[in-house]
Amino acid sequence: MGESGGRTIIITGASSGIGAAAARRFAADGGNVVLVARSEDLLRELATELAETGGQALACPADVCDTAALRGVLAATMQRFGGIDVLVNNAGFNARGAVGEVAVEDMQRIIDVNLRAPVTFTALALPHLRESRRANIINVASIAGRVPLPDEATYSATKFGLRSFSLAMAEEVRGSNVSVSVVSPGPVETDFILTDPDSVPDLVFSQPMSTAEQIADLIFECARDGRAERVRPAVSGKLATFSYLFPALGRTVRPLLERKGHREKQKYLRNRQAG
């Protein structure tokens, strides 16, 4: 049993992608994993998988935008495991397109899932986390939260907000038993961008692609050492910071990156068709 042995970890967006990979990572290390997402069938399949490999998992179907449902997740977690040690706010939503082209309802959903929900869940879980010997809050943001991303303006805004919330709260709890971390990945090889790659800005494909398991490893490491932020790939984080600090130069470099991204996207599409 590893360092997570006996610790209880709540993960939102756990039905697939990064969330499911993180659940497997924590369960393999001996953690008690609480799986939160809207898809009950997928959650129960994952809970069964983890149980068959010796893990402890609780499926809690819930919409993270429903505050009452989040309270229910906390109550179920306390009843089953008696405490909470780690909260991973991973659930995400996006609807790509320029402002004015995206439905207002979709824009509201982006804000609710990506920003309001993790802020709310953090506030609700904090009293329980303070009872832990060592607690961690880990928010999954994005490189899009370090540099504005055209055609994903609302998504980028929510990730900027989540990153700011995380770093500010990290200062609030400094010196206590609670740490707050933010994980900022670039493009990840999941359905989040690969279901409809044509709609994804070429700029996204200009950056090295990570796997869900690689991002899950970052989440796991944050739960281990409480570092304030981890970024993958590192070069993308540096490039994003450069573009944010020097926007004129960023606009000059952007066409080069977009051309590179377009080539990489077409290569990906050809490989997928061939496969």
Side-chain angles (χ1 to χ4, degrees):
M1 184 173 291
E3 188 172 327
S4 300
R7 301 187 84 200
T8 297
I9 303 98
I10 299 177
I11 304 173
T12 69
S15 59
S16 62
I18 295 170
R24 293 185 179 99
R25 183 71 175 87
F26 280 109
D29 196 56
N32 307 316
V33 184
V34 180
L35 310 170
V36 183
R38 289 184 296 172
S39 176
E40 182 172 357
D41 290 343
L42 291 177
L43 289 187
R44 298 204 182 282
E45 287 177 13
L46 180 56
T48 299
E49 173 196 325
L50 298 179
E52 289 174 349
T53 58
Q56 293 288 326
L58 173 64
C60 287
D63 185 338
V64 294
C65 298
D66 183 341
T67 301
L70 295 180
R71 294 184 189 276
V73 170
L74 294 173
T77 302
M78 295 299 294
Q79 181 177 15
R80 172 73 177 272
F81 297 117
I84 303 165
D85 303 288
V86 182
L87 172 62
V88 180
N89 286 306
N90 165 73
F93 177 75
N94 198 6
R96 297 179 179 90
V99 175
E101 296 176 358
V102 178
V104 170
E105 292 77 11
D106 285 339
M107 296 175 71
Q108 291 172 334
R109 179 76 181 171
I110 294 170
I111 295 168
D112 287 345
V113 174
N114 297 354
L115 185 56
R116 187 174 66 82
V119 169
T120 300
F121 208 6
T122 295
L124 293 175
L126 188 57
H128 300 290
L129 292 164
R130 290 195 186 279
E131 297 298 318
S132 170
R133 181 179 63 83
R134 177 172 60 90
N136 308 93
I137 299 165
I138 303 159
N139 296 319
V140 179
S142 170
I143 293 291
R146 294 169 66 98
V147 62
L149 191 60
D151 292 324
E152 299 195 33
T154 305
Y155 178 81
S156 192
T158 61
K159 294 303 186 179
F160 263 87
L162 184 59
R163 181 172 182 265
S164 296
F165 172 78
S166 303
L167 296 177
M169 190 177 171
E171 292 301 314
E172 290 182 4
V173 300
R174 185 176 298 279
S176 74
N177 66 311
V178 182
S179 71
V180 181
S181 306
V182 57
V183 172
S184 298
V188 184
E189 195 173 359
T190 67
D191 288 345
F192 194 76
I193 67 171
L194 299 184
T195 297
D196 184 17
D198 285 327
S199 72
V200 180
D202 290 340
L203 184 63
V204 172
F205 278 86
S206 71
Q207 305 303 302
M209 190 86 70
S210 300
T211 66
E213 288 73 23
Q214 288 170 325
I215 305 307
D217 285 343
L218 299 188
I219 294 170
F220 182 84
E221 290 301 314
C222 286
R224 185 181 62 81
D225 64 14
R227 182 190 294 185
E229 183 170 19
R230 281 186 161 89
V231 181
R232 184 183 173 93
V235 64
S236 299
K238 293 175 181 177
L239 185 61
T241 300
F242 171 84
S243 298
Y244 182 72
L245 293 176
F246 306 100
L249 290 175
R251 284 192 292 271
T252 300
V253 173
R254 185 184 298 274
L256 300 175
L257 294 175
E258 288 176 339
R259 285 196 289 271
K260 176 187 176 184
H262 181 75
R263 291 194 300 270
E264 292 299 322
K265 182 194 290 188
Q266 296 309 308
K267 184 189 300 183
Y268 168 77
L269 292 174
R270 287 195 300 269
N271 290 340
R272 189 169 72 165
Q273 290 172 354

